[in-house]
Structures are given as structure tokens and as C-alpha cells.
């Protein structure tokens, strides 16, 4: 297991899976997007045509939806950054014994199904919900905050805020605390320490967080469908409608490719903007110097220093509330004696919704499909990610980091493009069972997360033990079984639990691939939340939340939650 160029071949199974279940669907989408005809049964043409793109760009509705989606993604990324900084700083300053609990505040919402979190936002913003009640108590006129851009933006911020927090935590926790202490010793207050020390040094993490949140928010459609009430249209909803309902695959594919292009452009712009603000990373001279007269600067600094502690505490409470409070509302609504899932006013206590869920054969059947899918996904992801992690850690070739970035590529591209492409491939190759198509895509989505966790575990192995075992004559297979595997046990267990939760709760891509005979439980509750809002939805959602909490408690027994992310 020493460093060797031949170790790079261990990444071959992972690479082959990406070619079959990621590159092939993406290629199918690219091919569909350049078809001349939009007819469902029109033969495929290898001669590229811009007809679909011309139709999109020539229709004001599509252009407006596309631009609104871009602005929505940028707004969600900005709002997530504002809320994430105080929460990430709070996590870095927690005592070690409380850090796992602090991380649970971030990880429980992150790993909870997106439909569940959207239902929580609906209950929060409902006409007689918490926000409406607070507004009326303050003398404000009653307003319906649902079914608008604010509601969709808040929902997406709640969904993707954890990614921003974790991206910032990585760099903030690694900062030299003596720099902040030195600034404080020179008389800098909290505001100046943040602006002059913490913020500049955390910009690489901010770049990663902005990129991830924008990519995910600009391609999301589940929250927009539920919270927007079909009054707010985003590109993902149009792709789903054109591809699944109208069966206009070429137009849907063209819009998906436009979203992919926009994601690449915005990612480059974010990187260059952060690069201009961090010239010390590349050794360049600063391009932009800001200065102001002392008579203006001093009052601004005084105001900033006075407001900083209050503002930071307010944003911290707001961030935790945005993450946790909607989930608590779902749990309360699950025992509310009202037939409507969106009624925020508590009528009376009842367990009947749980009874109806447990007696409904459709729910139980779909739950079993989800379990089978998640277990199969974890088994395959582990089988390809574990060898790949050894390739990335121990292979001695120059392109190792490039290979690592290529293996993580599915996280950087729109999931709906993969889902649409796999749907079309399943229609072309009818011999492939739908379950295999869904499983293939789930592995593509889950394997990169498991690879990241396993790669850190492999890097932390004590290689002297392996050398000692080899020196005593143990063959490589025995060294792996008796020495390496026991050390990797906790890391493998954690990766499998996280992978199971991610696969079990996946909706965005799975919604493209399910059929009447193959339905997962998350897609079932998404469909029921869209068309009928019985309170059984909240009961199922609460079961999702409790399952996530229980699984994270299990993870914490193997490894503290704060160490899970740092690995």
C-alpha cells in the first residue's frame, strides 16, 4: 500500500461508473439539445442545430424564467453568506464537548429531506402562521408571504445554508487565532477584527460556499414548486414540465444545457472576484485600494463597533432559527388535529396521522423501495469509493489532484441534467430496469461524498503498522484485512450512514426516473405535497427528521460530528 503510480488504477471502477451513469446521461442531454425537431418520435440527428436554443431565446417567458433563476441563485448565495458567518464563527468558538451538538444544528437540516424543510417554511409563512402572528402583534396588516419570491428565496436559503456554513467553517477553524488576538491587542474592535482579519483570510472558503450554494439554488425546483405555489417559475420547473409532462425533450435539454453554461460562467466570475480580493495568494499587487477621509472613517468605525455585537447575535439567532424552527413546526403539525397540512394554528393533539401512515400500504411499499435503493447505493458507492480513496492518497503520479477533481465533478453540475439524460437513456435502452437507472444516478450523487470522507480516513492511516505486518511476511490481502480495515472501520461506518441518508432522501433527480411501479417515499411525499396536503405528509416528514437525528446519534458514537466534517 505504499505510494506507487500503479495505485492510480484503483480509481478505474469509480471512473467507469461515472462514464456510464454521469457522462453518458450528460452526453444524451447535449445531443438532445441540438436536435432540429421537438417531436417525441423524431429520429435523432447527428447534425447539430440551434433550433431549440433559438426557441428559448426568442420566447420572453423562457428568457424571463432563466434570468429570474440566475438572480434567485445569486440572492440565495448572498443571503446564505450573511447568515453563515456568525454561525460558522460560533461553531469554531464552541468548547470541544459542545461542538457535536453545534454541528447537529447544521447537519440535521442538511441531511433531512428537502420536501420536509419546504413544508416547514410553508407552516412558518402560512396566513395564520408564526410570522403572520408576529406581524399582527406588531400592528402590521395581515399579509400572505407564501407563493412569492421571498418565500422561495427563504426556503432555498434554509436548504442550502448548511453548505455555506461548512465551507466557511473549514477555513475559519484553521485560521491562526493569534492574528485576531494581535489585532485586539492593537485596539481593533469586533467589527474591525472581522473586516481586517477574519473576512480576508476566509475568502477562499467563501468562494467555495458561494459556488456551491449558487449551483444548487439555481437548479433547484422542489422548494420552488411547493413554496412558490406554481406562481413562481424557475428553470428547473420548466425542465421538469417540458421533459416529463409535455415530452419535449430537446427543449428541456437545451434549457438544462443553458443552466449548465450559466453555472460555469458564474463559477468563473465568483472565482475571479475572490481572486481580486485575495492578491496575496498569488503574490500580485492589490488592484483596488479603498480609502476615506479620517473625518468620515472614525464615525463609521464607531457605529460599526457599536452595532457589531448586536448584529452578530441577531444573525446567529436568525440562522439557527431558519435551520431548526421549520423542522420543529413540522413535528408539531404532525400531531395537530386538522386535515390540512398547511394549517399553522394548533387545533388539538392527535396521533391518528401516524396511524394512517403506518396502515397505508403505499407508504410502506415506497419506504421499502427507498431502503433497498439506499442500501444498494451505499454498497456500490463503498465498493468504488474505497479503492479510489487509496488511489488519490497513495498514487504517486502528477495528475492526482486533477483526478480527484474529476471524480468530484458530479457535485458541480446540475442534477436535473443528469436526471433528464438518464430518463432518455432508459427510454432508448428499454432492457435496463428502471431500478437500475435510479440506482446508477444515486451512486453518482452519493459516491463523491463518501469518497471525500474515505479519502480523509485513508490519509490518517498509520502506515508503520502496515510496514511492520509486511516485514513479518503478511501478504497484501492479509495486511488489508487485519491491519488497514480495522483502522478504517469508524470512517467506513460514518461514510455509509451519511451515504444512506443522502440516498434515502434524494428527490430532485429521482423525480425524473420514478414510475408507477417504482416510487420512492421522498418522491411520494413530494407528489402528495404538490397535489394534496393531508396532514399525513407532516407525520411522514417527522419520521424523516427522527430517522436523521437517530442516524447522526449513531454516527456520533463512531466519531464526533465535528470531526466527521473536518475529515
Amino acid at each position: 500500500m505504499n505510494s506507487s503510480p500503479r495505485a492510480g488504477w484503483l480509481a478505474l471502477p469509480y471512473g467507469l461508473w461515472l462514464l456510464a451513469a454521469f457522462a453518458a446521461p450528460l452526453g444524451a442531454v447535449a445531443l438532445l439539445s441540438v436536435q432540429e425537431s421537438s417531436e417525441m418520435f423524431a429520429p435523432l440527428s447527428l447534425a447539430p442545430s440551434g433550433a431549440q436554443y433559438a426557441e428559448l431565446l426568442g420566447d420572453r417567458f423562457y428568457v424571463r424564467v432563466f434570468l429570474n433563476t440566475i438572480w434567485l441563485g445569486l440572492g440565495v448565495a448572498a443571503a446564505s453568506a450573511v447568515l453563515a458567518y456568525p454561525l460558522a464563527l460560533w461553531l469554531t468558538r464552541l468548547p470541544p464537548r459542545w461542538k457535536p451538538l453545534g454541528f447537529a444544528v447544521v447537519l440535521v437540516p442538511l441531511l433531512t429531506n428537502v420536501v420536509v424543510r419546504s413544508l416547514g417554511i410553508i407552516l412558518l409563512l402560512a396566513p395564520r402562521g408564526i410570522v403572520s402572528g408576529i406581524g399582527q402583534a406588531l400592528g402590521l396588516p395581515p399579509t400572505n408571504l407564501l407563493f412569492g419570491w421571498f418565500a422561495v428565496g427563504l426556503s432555498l436559503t434554509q436548504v442550502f445554508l448548511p453548505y455555506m456554513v461548512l465551507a466557511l467553517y473549514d477555513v475559519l477553524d484553521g485560521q491562526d487565532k493569534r492574528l485576531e488576538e494581535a489585532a485586539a491587542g492593537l485596539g481593533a474592535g469586533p467589527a474591525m477584527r472581522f473586516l481586517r482579519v477574519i473576512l480576508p483570510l476566509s475568502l477562499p472558503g467563501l468562494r467555495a460556499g458561494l459556488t456551491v450554494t449558487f449551483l444548487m439554488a439555481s437548479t433547484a425546483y422542489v422548494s420552488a414548486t411547493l413554496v412558490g405555489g406554481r406562481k413562481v417559475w424557475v428553470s428547473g420547473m420548466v425542465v421538469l414540465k417540458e421533459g416529463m409532462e409535455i415530452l419535449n425533450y430537446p427543449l428541456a435539454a437545451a434549457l438544462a444545457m443553458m443552466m449548465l453554461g450559466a453555472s460555469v460562467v458564474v463559477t468563473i466570475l465568483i472565482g475571479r472576484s475572490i481572486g481580486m480580493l485575495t492578491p496575496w495568494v498569488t503574490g500580485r499587487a492589490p488592484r483596488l485600494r479603498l480609502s476615506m477621509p479620517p473625518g468620515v472613517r472614525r464615525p463609521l468605525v464607531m457605529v460599526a463597533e457599536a452595532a457589531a455585537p448586536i448584529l452578530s447575535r441577531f444573525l446567529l439567532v436568525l440562522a439557527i432559527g431558519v435551520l431548526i424552527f421549520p423542522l420543529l413546526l413540522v413535528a408539531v403539525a404532525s400531531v395537530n388535529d386538522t386535515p390540512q397540512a398547511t394549517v399553522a394554528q394548533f387545533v388539538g393533539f392527535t396521533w391518528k396521522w401516524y396511524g394512517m401512515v403506518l396502515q397505508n400500504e403505499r407508504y410502506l411499499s415506497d419506504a421499502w423501495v427507498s431502503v433497498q435503493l439506499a442500501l444498494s447505493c451505499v454498497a456500490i458507492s463503498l465498493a468504488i469509493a474505497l479503492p479510489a480513496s487509496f488511489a488519490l492518497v497513495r498514487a504517486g503520479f502528477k495528475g492526482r489532484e486533477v483526478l480527484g477533481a474529476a471524480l468530484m465533478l458530479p457535485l458541480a453540475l446540475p442534477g436535473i441534467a443528469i436526471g433528464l439524460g438518464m430518463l432518455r437513456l432508459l427510454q432508448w435502452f428499454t432492457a435496463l430496469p428502471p431500478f437500475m437507472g435510479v440506482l446508477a444516478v444515486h451512486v453518482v450523487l452519493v459516491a463523491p461524498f463518501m469518497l471525500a470522507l474515505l479519502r480523509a480516513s485513508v490519509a490518517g492511516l498509520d502506515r508503520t503498522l502496515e510496514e511492520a505486518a509486511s516485514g513479518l511476511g503478511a501478504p497484501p490481502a492479509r495486511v488489508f484485512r487485519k491491519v488497514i480495515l480495522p483502522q478504517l472501520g469508524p470512517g467506513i461506518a460514518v461514510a455509509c450512514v451519511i451515504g444512506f441518508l443522502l440516498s434515502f432522501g434524494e428527490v430532485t433527480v429521482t423525480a425524473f426516473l420514478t414510475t408507477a411501479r417504482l416510487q420512492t417515499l421522498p418522491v411520494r411525499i413530494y407528489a402528495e405535497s404538490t397535489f394534496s396536503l393531508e396532514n399525513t405528509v407532516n407525520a411522514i416528514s417527522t419520521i424523516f427528521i427522527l430517522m436523521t437525528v437517530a442516524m447522526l446519534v449513531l454516527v456520533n458514537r463512531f466519531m464526533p460530528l465535528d470531526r466527521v466534517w473536518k475529515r
Side-chain angles (χ1 to χ4, degrees), residues 340-400:
Q340 284 277 328
T342 56
V343 173
Q345 187 176 7
F346 195 79
V347 177
F349 184 88
T350 180
W351 292 108
K352 67 180 181 181
W353 307 117
Y354 289 93
M356 293 175 64
V357 169
L358 297 177
Q359 294 172 4
N360 192 317
E361 293 185 0
R362 291 183 306 171
Y363 292 147
L364 298 178
S365 175
D366 294 343
W368 177 235
V369 171
S370 296
V371 170
Q372 289 178 300
L373 184 62
L375 290 176
S376 302
C377 174
V378 167
I380 296 174
S381 298
L382 180 63
I384 64 176
L386 185 57
S389 65
F390 278 95
L392 295 178
V393 172
R394 299 192 175 182
F397 60 94
K398 293 183 179 180
R400 186 171 60 180

Side-chain angles (χ1 to χ4, degrees), residues 28-65:
V29 172
L31 178 62
L32 286 170
S33 70
V34 293
Q35 296 300 303
E36 177 72 29
S37 174
S38 297
E39 294 295 329
M40 180 179 178
F41 299 104
L44 285 176
S45 172
L46 297 180
S49 168
Q52 308 305 324
Y53 295 97
E55 182 177 349
L56 288 173
L57 296 175
D59 191 310
R60 291 184 179 180
F61 170 76
Y62 293 123
V63 173
R64 184 172 67 252
V65 168

